[in-house]
Amino acid sequence: MQNSDQGKPHRNMSQVRAFGAIVVLFCNCAAAQKSQITARQLVAEIQKQVGVEWKTDTVDTFKAGNPDTPVTGVAVTMMATMDVLQRASAKGLNFVITHEPTFYAHLDTPEGVPQSDPVWAEKRDFIEKHRMVVWRFHDHWHMRKPDGIEAGNVHLLGWEKFQRPDNQYLFVMPEITLRALAAQVAKKLDSSVVRVVGDPEMKVTKVGFSPGAAGSEREIHALEQDDVQVLMVGETREWETVEYAADAVSEGKKKALIVIGHIPSEQPGMEECARWLKGFVKDVPIEFVAAKQPFWTLSEKK
């Protein structure tokens, strides 16, 4: 009986220590969960850091998911395609910062396409099922000085020394043929579907770069300037800027147009965004997730 009584305090002390360890572990986990930044809080920090006044009339808003979801990781991308969402989710990156729309229109509400559409619905359901959040970062990233997209492009192309100090979208470079310039841009921006209007052997030194889809009014205005011999764009309507460039060539004017593709024309700018975010977001992993060029050529598929 005496031996049995002497053993009890030892067992009780062990139990106390084990219970104490569980309490500490629980408290630490609770504290970590409580301190985990949400998507809404991360966006608020971006708004503080971006360096321009935040506009109320903007497309830079949440597009899907609950903004109060704790962020496990950030995927920065040019476009939140289904492929990007799948790859981001597989890596545990539940907050997607996208430059372009997620649901097929500038305001993410395409006219004439119901939300019951099977493609739309499956994409939306994937985001909800995997507790993801999608936020667009377009207007204010372009508004930065320098433009965040253009800065990424210039960095990747290695054109810093050619960029005009008075206009970040214009470049003066050593003489090069249009063919060689298009090939160089296609290789560095990783676009195999670059299309060109103009004489391939035309010598050029003055280049304008308008990434994305600025619209024909701005593109044609750029092409008509004397300090732009060739304009590089992401995408444009063929019966607007393309036809203008083609007519200029037929009239004997030394003008040319290089159509890169929307995604490759802005993708380096979102890689630049990921680098920028890592400068002040330290609590969660940040990864650039490249959107794939959607087009392929017949030569690629032989």
Side-chain angles (χ1 to χ4, degrees):
M1 178 68 72
Q2 187 175 2
N3 291 338
S4 177
D5 290 340
Q6 288 176 346
K8 288 182 180 179
H10 295 288
R11 288 196 298 270
N12 290 341
M13 186 58 67
S14 298
Q15 291 170 353
V16 169
R17 284 196 293 267
F19 178 75
I22 292 172
V23 170
V24 170
L25 179 62
F26 175 80
C27 291
N28 288 341
C29 290
Q33 186 174 14
K34 183 179 180 181
S35 64
Q36 192 172 14
I37 192 170
T38 67
R40 191 190 304 278
Q41 291 169 331
L42 200 153
V43 168
E45 189 61 28
I46 290 173
Q47 292 172 335
K48 293 177 186 176
Q49 299 286 342
V50 72
V52 296
E53 183 179 355
W54 199 263
K55 297 164 53 179
T56 55
D57 183 15
T58 178
V59 296
D60 294 353
T61 59
F62 288 100
K63 305 304 179 184
N66 181 357
D68 295 315
T69 299
V71 176
T72 58
V74 180
V76 182
T77 188
M78 161 56 190
M79 192 177 295
T81 63
M82 190 66 182
D83 173 70
V84 164
L85 293 171
Q86 290 169 338
R87 285 186 284 132
S89 179
K91 293 182 177 183
L93 309 171
N94 71 332
F95 182 36
V96 179
I97 297 178
T98 178
H99 186 64
E100 294 297 8
T102 303
F103 296 110
Y104 325 119
H106 186 56
L107 299 178
D108 285 277
T109 53
E111 294 182 8
V113 181
Q115 293 193 28
S116 59
D117 173 88
V119 175
W120 179 321
E122 184 170 338
K123 191 173 193 179
R124 184 193 60 227
D125 292 347
F126 181 90
I127 293 168
E128 293 178 356
K129 178 181 177 181
H130 294 85
R131 292 180 53 79
M132 301 180 79
V133 184
V134 179
W135 179 71
R136 189 174 178 191
F137 192 25
H138 179 275
D139 296 349
H140 297 86
W141 190 234
H142 274 302
M143 288 167 59
R144 276 175 59 83
K145 306 293 185 210
D147 177 329
I149 294 295
E150 195 74 359
N153 284 328
V154 172
H155 174 75
L156 185 60
L157 289 168
W159 285 7
E160 291 89 349
K161 57 185 175 295
F162 306 138
Q163 194 170 29
R164 280 182 31 176
D166 61 322
N167 190 324
Q168 62 183 318
Y169 304 103
L170 299 181
F171 304 84
V172 179
M173 56 182 55
E175 189 175 81
I176 186 173
T177 66
L178 178 60
R179 184 194 304 275
L181 175 64
Q184 179 188 112
V185 170
K187 181 178 181 180
K188 290 191 175 182
L189 297 187
D190 192 24
S191 179
S192 60
V193 292
V194 165
R195 295 180 295 167
V196 186
V197 177
D199 177 2
E201 303 310 319
M202 183 180 81
K203 302 291 199 314
V204 300
T205 59
K206 295 178 285 188
V207 178
F209 191 179
S210 177
S216 61
E217 183 176 348
R218 291 168 62 183
E219 293 163 352
I220 291 173
H221 177 67
L223 268 171
E224 67 187 9
Q225 297 180 57
D226 291 337
D227 50 5
V228 175
Q229 295 171 303
V230 54
L231 179 66
M232 306 193 311
V233 301
E235 65 170 301
T236 189
R237 287 178 174 151
E238 294 187 15
W239 49 272
E240 294 181 342
T241 306
V242 172
E243 187 63 22
Y244 177 89
D247 281 351
V249 173
S250 296
E251 293 169 4
K253 295 179 173 60
K254 300 299 183 181
K255 296 291 181 179
L257 179 70
I258 297 177
V259 183
I260 302 165
H262 199 132
I263 287 177
S265 81
E266 296 195 288
Q267 188 126 268
M270 292 312 286
E271 190 169 8
E272 177 71 20
C273 180
R275 287 192 291 267
W276 174 73
L277 285 171
K278 290 176 182 178
F280 60 90
V281 178
K282 304 295 185 180
D283 297 331
V284 293
I286 296 172
E287 185 172 336
F288 172 67
V289 181
K292 295 178 180 178
Q293 163 68 282
F295 301 107
W296 53 268
T297 65
L298 290 174
S299 61
E300 286 181 301
K301 294 298 180 179
K302 284 182 179 179

